[in-house]
């Protein structure tokens, strides 16, 4: 007599096993169990960027819906690190949308790689950095201004790479550029950003130095 072996339940599988089975079979229950394991960390990341908490909760659910498609098409080696970076990118894109919507959207406090961190951010591909400094709305606007001054092709490649965490191949598919040209646009764009910030006036104190000076008075 032969007995059919039941498939293991999602809770019995590791993160890597759940990812593999989800890519093969597409069972939302598998992804749901996997996401629930890391949901508290994702919510904590979203709360760093979004207020009130209801906005952070909405972002958590939006991110899950995004993963339904993304994880069917892409292999992920280190899921926790990848998920943290993806959650962070999602929040940054939401904040950029608010920035474009105008001041009525409320103040923005975000983290974003400045000129000094462009190369390190690229190599880490927006991984979490515990020592990363917070940037105020004014510095975000400065970066937006710098990006706006770039040629459209460079600006688009930088946004896709840093904010949407897309690889060269995907950027090439979305933009129609050859992979080598994508790499060139990224390198030239990063150099232009660095030159922009290196040449920016230093007479105006940064938000952090300004607050420190006020505190010393």
């Amino acid at each position: 007599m032969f007995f059919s072996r039941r498939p293991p339940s999602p809770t019995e599988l590791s993160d890597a096993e759940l990812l593999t089975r989800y890519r093969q079979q597409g069972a939302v229950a598998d992804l749901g169990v996997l996401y629930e394991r890391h949901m508290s960390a994702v919510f904590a990341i979203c709360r760093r960027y979004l207020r009130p908490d209801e906005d952070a909760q909405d972002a958590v659910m939006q991110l899950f819906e995004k993963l339904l498609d993304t994880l069917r098409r892409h292999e992920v080696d280190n899921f926790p690190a990848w998920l943290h970076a993806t959650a962070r990118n999602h929040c940054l894109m939401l904040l950029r949308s608010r920035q474009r919507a105008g001041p009525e959207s409320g103040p923005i406090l975000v983290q974003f790689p400045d000129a000094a961190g462009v190369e390190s951010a690229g190599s880490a591909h927006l991984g979490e950095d515990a020592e990363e400094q917070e940037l105020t709305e004014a510095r975000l606007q400065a970066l937006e201004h710098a990006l706006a001054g770039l040629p459209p092709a460079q600006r688009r490649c930088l946004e896709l790479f840093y904010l949407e965490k897309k690889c060269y191949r995907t950027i090439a598919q979305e933009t129609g550029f050859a992979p080598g040209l994508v790499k060139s646009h990224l390198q030239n764009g990063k150099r232009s950003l660095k030159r922009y910030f290196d040449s920016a006036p230093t007479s105006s104190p940064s938000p952090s130095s300004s607050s420190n000076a006020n505190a010393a008075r």
Side-chain angles (χ1 to χ4, degrees):
M1 181 180 295
F2 295 95
F3 296 92
S4 59
R5 182 181 179 183
R6 69 171 180 83
S9 69
T11 56
E12 297 172 337
L13 299 176
S14 67
D15 287 1
E17 290 170 334
L18 283 171
L19 279 173
T20 298
R21 195 165 78 172
Y22 178 70
R23 290 190 73 239
Q24 294 173 346
Q25 302 178 11
V28 177
D30 287 343
L31 185 58
V33 169
L34 176 62
Y35 193 60
E36 188 174 3
R37 291 176 183 174
H38 302 275
M39 188 177 293
S40 59
V42 171
F43 179 63
I45 292 170
C46 292
R47 288 189 77 237
R48 291 169 54 194
Y49 300 95
L50 305 173
R51 291 289 187 275
D53 279 358
E54 287 76 8
D55 286 358
Q57 292 168 354
D58 288 344
V60 171
M61 299 313 298
Q62 292 167 5
L63 186 58
F64 178 73
E65 294 174 359
K66 182 178 180 180
L67 298 187
L68 288 172
D69 176 62
T70 302
L71 291 177
R72 286 299 303 275
R73 297 182 291 107
H74 299 288
E75 292 187 23
V76 175
D77 294 328
N78 187 338
F79 181 73
W82 178 89
L83 181 61
H84 292 180
T86 301
R88 183 167 171 265
N89 296 346
H90 181 71
C91 292
L92 284 170
M93 285 190 288
L94 291 176
L95 289 171
R96 285 168 62 84
S97 297
R98 290 185 186 181
Q99 181 72 23
R100 295 190 181 103
E104 65 275 7
S105 300
I108 298 175
L109 183 65
V110 301
Q111 295 178 322
F112 200 89
D114 58 13
V118 165
E119 289 296 341
S120 60
S123 60
H125 219 121
L126 286 178
E128 287 298 308
D129 183 357
E131 297 180 354
E132 187 178 33
Q133 296 181 347
E134 291 182 338
L135 302 184
T136 62
E137 179 181 0
R139 294 187 68 188
L140 175 64
Q141 290 175 342
L143 182 59
E144 291 281 355
H145 187 270
L147 286 171
L150 296 178
Q154 292 181 15
R155 181 173 66 249
R156 182 58 179 154
C157 288
L158 285 170
E159 290 176 342
L160 288 171
F161 184 77
Y162 284 117
L163 293 184
E164 300 187 29
K165 197 179 177 295
K166 295 186 176 179
C167 65
Y168 286 9
R169 182 183 302 174
T170 303
I171 295 173
Q173 292 173 348
E174 293 195 11
T175 61
F177 300 143
L181 187 57
V182 169
K183 182 177 180 179
S184 177
H185 284 324
L186 286 170
Q187 291 175 339
N188 292 334
K190 287 185 287 186
R191 279 195 292 266
S192 296
L193 283 180
K194 188 175 187 306
R195 284 196 299 268
Y196 175 89
F197 284 103
D198 286 347
S199 63
T202 57
S203 57
S204 299
S206 66
S208 58
S209 62
S210 177
S211 62
N212 291 338
N214 291 334
R217 290 174 183 173

